[in-house]
Amino acid sequence: MFVLELSYTAPLEAVDAVLADHVVWLDGWYEQGVFLASGRKEPRDGGVIVAVAEDRARIEEITAGDPFVRAGVCAYRVTEFVATKTAPALERYRETLG
């Protein structure tokens, strides 16, 4: 499982100019079951996405396609973790330490 932290690298006006494209991009990854939760940070200086994928390389490929990245308005920090405990609704994503 991955936590993707977005940090804006441009003024909010520039972020907002590509926000609609970013939302369409998010929707596509939700439909594919890759993204589990997302939202903006408070204060509004970026966002957070919780995602699942086979490996970090796949996540980096996905984030490179974000319209925010392509427009140069955000940078990602990717943190991989082993979800050994989850809420019941996320039970299918539980992992064991190897």
Side-chain angles (χ1 to χ4, degrees):
M1 191 169 284
F2 297 86
V3 175
L4 314 177
E5 182 180 2
L6 295 75
S7 295
Y8 296 148
T9 58
L12 286 178
E13 297 78 26
V15 172
D16 287 341
V18 290
L19 183 58
D21 292 337
H22 173 74
V23 171
V24 169
W25 174 83
L26 286 170
D27 289 344
W29 291 112
Y30 274 108
E31 289 171 12
Q32 293 186 50
V34 173
F35 291 172
L36 304 179
S38 62
R40 64 175 56 165
K41 294 189 291 187
E42 290 297 334
R44 188 177 174 209
D45 60 2
V48 175
I49 302 169
V50 177
V52 292
E54 56 274 10
D55 57 33
R56 185 184 189 93
R58 181 66 179 133
I59 287 294
E60 290 176 354
E61 180 182 315
I62 290 167
T63 58
D66 183 345
F68 279 174
V69 171
R70 292 194 327 258
V73 301
C74 93
Y76 273 88
R77 177 176 172 220
V78 177
T79 303
E80 184 173 3
F81 73 102
V82 179
T84 57
K85 195 163 185 67
T86 66
L90 297 175
E91 181 176 354
R92 68 185 261 201
Y93 301 107
R94 284 185 198 153
E95 303 173 74
T96 56
L97 294 172

